[in-house]
Amino acid sequence: MFPLQTGSPLQARLDVNIFSVILILLLIIFIITVIFVISKLATNYVRSPAYIEKKKNRPTSLKDINEIAALCSLTKEEKEVLAQMCKMYRTPNIKYLVRDYQSIQECLKAQFRVFDKNQDEIGKTYLFAMRRKLFKVFCQQGLIKNSKNISAGTIFTYTVAKGFHHKLTLVENNPDAMILNLPPVLKQEELPKQLEKVNFIFEMEDGTPYNIETRVVRYQIGKENENQIVVVHSDKVSALQKREQERAELNLSCKFHSVKTVVEGSGKKEKISYIPSEKAHDGVLEDISAGGCRLIATLPIKAEQNIFIEGQFNMKDNDHAIGTIVRTTKRSDGIYILHIKFIKIDVKVVNRIQAMVCKYDD
């Protein structure tokens, strides 16, 4: 009697093929699992504080500088200033450093002092242009979301009418309220009433402007007999678009002259001369930037006139500039505010103004 056959050669080959397919599938699953685990571990490491700290602290490379230059649309000259600064101070990874307002400020300030020591006004110009672009893209101090984080000394702007602003100084920010000094020129009828809502504009150190909506608690007399307004804390604080040029609040006496404009030639050969009159008038510089200033005067000077201004634009040196009046605002006390755009100003003067505005000249 012959033994019973349980399968054919064809069936045996099919069994082997199925077994091979299963093995291959298991192998693929194993490989995918290994890749997933490795990828997960790698992702966790890249996101870990240790890895980020390592990347932050490594030296800045040329590739880093090129990436920053591309993101901020730096010119060739501005990129060279950035590279010079990174090399001179051996800055850690500039891609991280540039996001830290205080750290990048210190590096820029140090580089400014080098240019200042070498009397390199062109270098300063590129430095300030680069700074403006870097800050526009990267640097912004943590956004203010509550008035409790506003520092004493901050200037608040209260707008009575279009183009008509008053400056109030925050003298105390306590857990219960904010106390601001009122300017003497602000009249009783212009003040918001008690318990009434009021809006102010203020700027942080990095130049970011904010609008804040708060409410008047009361009016009081300060320790030095100054008039004060007390307002409640608020979380209705919103960031506004930054100005093209940062400015500094001033309260400095100055002189100004009317200007005669003489045009000679035409086309490419046209030459414009500005001739200040001999008669000087007294004024007060209320604020200033590299692009212009706001001047307080007692004369009803109309817009679209040129003006020669002389004074301590940076609160130290006697400088001068020629500007055009873009707008004139009359206050309720009969004083005129001239909004001026500079049209002729020496590069040294511009750099001195910017150094003061950026706090690089201390």
Side-chain angles (χ1 to χ4, degrees):
M1 197 173 204
F2 296 101
L4 183 66
Q5 298 294 326
T6 58
S8 65
L10 178 60
Q11 182 63 44
R13 285 197 295 273
L14 287 174
D15 291 341
V16 170
N17 289 340
I18 292 171
F19 182 72
S20 299
V21 169
I22 293 173
L23 282 178
I24 292 171
L25 288 174
L26 289 173
L27 181 60
I28 292 173
I29 292 171
F30 175 75
I31 293 172
I32 291 173
T33 302
V34 171
I35 292 173
F36 174 79
V37 171
I38 293 174
S39 175
K40 190 70 175 176
L41 290 173
T43 300
N44 290 339
Y45 174 66
V46 168
R47 293 176 179 175
S48 69
Y51 179 80
I52 293 173
E53 198 64 27
K54 183 178 179 181
K55 285 194 71 175
K56 281 184 178 180
N57 294 328
R58 71 164 173 77
T60 296
S61 66
L62 180 59
K63 181 182 177 182
D64 298 330
I65 293 172
N66 288 335
E67 287 183 21
I68 295 295
L71 284 170
C72 299
S73 301
L74 300 184
T75 65
K76 177 184 175 183
E77 294 79 9
E78 292 160 3
K79 178 181 170 183
E80 288 175 355
V81 170
L82 178 63
Q84 180 181 340
M85 183 183 75
C86 292
K87 181 179 179 180
M88 181 173 292
Y89 302 104
R90 298 180 180 178
T91 62
N93 194 338
I94 190 66
K95 291 195 295 185
Y96 287 88
L97 186 71
V98 78
R99 290 174 168 83
D100 184 333
Y101 176 78
Q102 293 298 337
S103 295
I104 195 65
Q105 262 284 77
E106 289 303 314
C107 288
L108 291 166
K109 186 175 182 178
Q111 185 61 50
F112 169 81
R113 286 175 173 171
V114 172
F115 287 143
D116 194 45
K117 183 179 180 180
N118 297 333
Q119 299 183 357
D120 185 352
E121 299 299 330
I122 301 301
K124 292 180 189 177
T125 299
Y126 291 137
L127 176 75
F128 287 124
M130 177 191 72
R131 178 187 184 276
R132 187 163 56 250
K133 292 178 181 180
L134 291 179
F135 281 17
K136 184 176 181 180
V137 174
F138 295 106
C139 282
Q140 194 172 55
Q141 292 174 308
L143 290 176
I144 298 294
K145 297 181 179 179
N146 191 290
S147 58
K148 292 182 179 180
N149 298 319
I150 306 173
S151 302
T154 300
I155 303 297
F156 281 53
T157 300
Y158 173 54
T159 302
V160 178
K162 186 176 181 180
F164 188 14
H165 314 288
H166 290 292
K167 304 295 181 182
L168 291 72
T169 303
L170 179 62
V171 292
E172 184 180 338
N173 191 347
N174 60 52
D176 301 317
M178 294 185 291
I179 303 174
L180 300 98
N181 280 351
L182 296 169
V185 297
L186 187 52
K187 295 187 175 182
Q188 183 70 34
E189 58 268 23
E190 296 174 324
L191 293 169
K193 294 180 176 61
Q194 191 169 326
L195 301 182
E196 186 175 279
K197 289 182 180 179
V198 60
N199 283 276
F200 297 111
I201 302 293
F202 67 92
E203 287 188 4
M204 295 300 291
E205 186 181 2
D206 67 350
T208 302
Y210 289 83
N211 178 80
I212 177 171
E213 180 186 303
T214 180
R215 191 181 296 274
V216 179
V217 177
R218 65 179 182 275
Y219 292 94
Q220 64 183 31
I221 303 298
K223 296 178 180 178
E224 299 181 6
N225 292 322
E226 68 273 32
N227 292 321
Q228 296 179 332
I229 182 174
V230 180
V231 298
V232 297
H233 281 299
S234 172
D235 57 3
K236 293 183 178 180
V237 182
S238 55
L240 305 175
Q241 186 174 357
K242 277 189 178 183
R243 295 174 178 272
E244 185 64 27
Q245 297 282 357
E246 294 176 69
R247 65 179 180 178
E249 302 289 342
L250 302 174
N251 186 25
L252 294 176
S253 298
C254 68
K255 300 286 185 181
F256 65 92
H257 307 245
S258 61
V259 169
K260 179 182 179 182
T261 304
V262 178
V263 180
E264 298 177 342
S266 61
K268 293 183 179 179
K269 294 184 178 180
E270 181 180 273
K271 181 180 179 182
I272 301 176
S273 300
Y274 302 99
I275 306 172
S277 65
E278 293 184 3
K279 187 175 181 179
H281 304 279
D282 293 323
V284 175
L285 282 174
E286 192 174 35
D287 66 34
I288 196 165
S289 72
C293 65
R294 196 159 58 212
L295 189 151
I296 298 175
T298 56
L299 299 176
I301 305 176
K302 295 181 180 180
E304 299 183 3
Q305 296 185 64
N306 292 333
I307 188 172
F308 176 86
I309 312 161
E310 52 185 341
Q312 294 181 327
F313 296 169
N314 67 340
M315 303 179 70
K316 295 178 182 179
D317 303 278
N318 290 316
D319 288 316
H320 63 266
I322 291 175
T324 186
I325 303 172
V326 296
R327 187 172 73 254
T328 298
T329 306
K330 184 180 180 181
R331 295 195 323 207
S332 57
D333 58 359
I335 298 298
Y336 294 86
I337 303 173
L338 311 182
H339 303 261
I340 299 165
K341 178 182 179 181
F342 293 139
I343 57 175
K344 186 177 181 182
I345 183 169
D346 191 87
V347 65
K348 289 183 180 180
V349 180
V350 173
N351 286 337
R352 280 199 280 263
I353 293 172
Q354 296 200 104
M356 177 190 65
V357 171
C358 299
K359 298 180 174 60
Y360 290 173
D361 62 348
D362 53 13

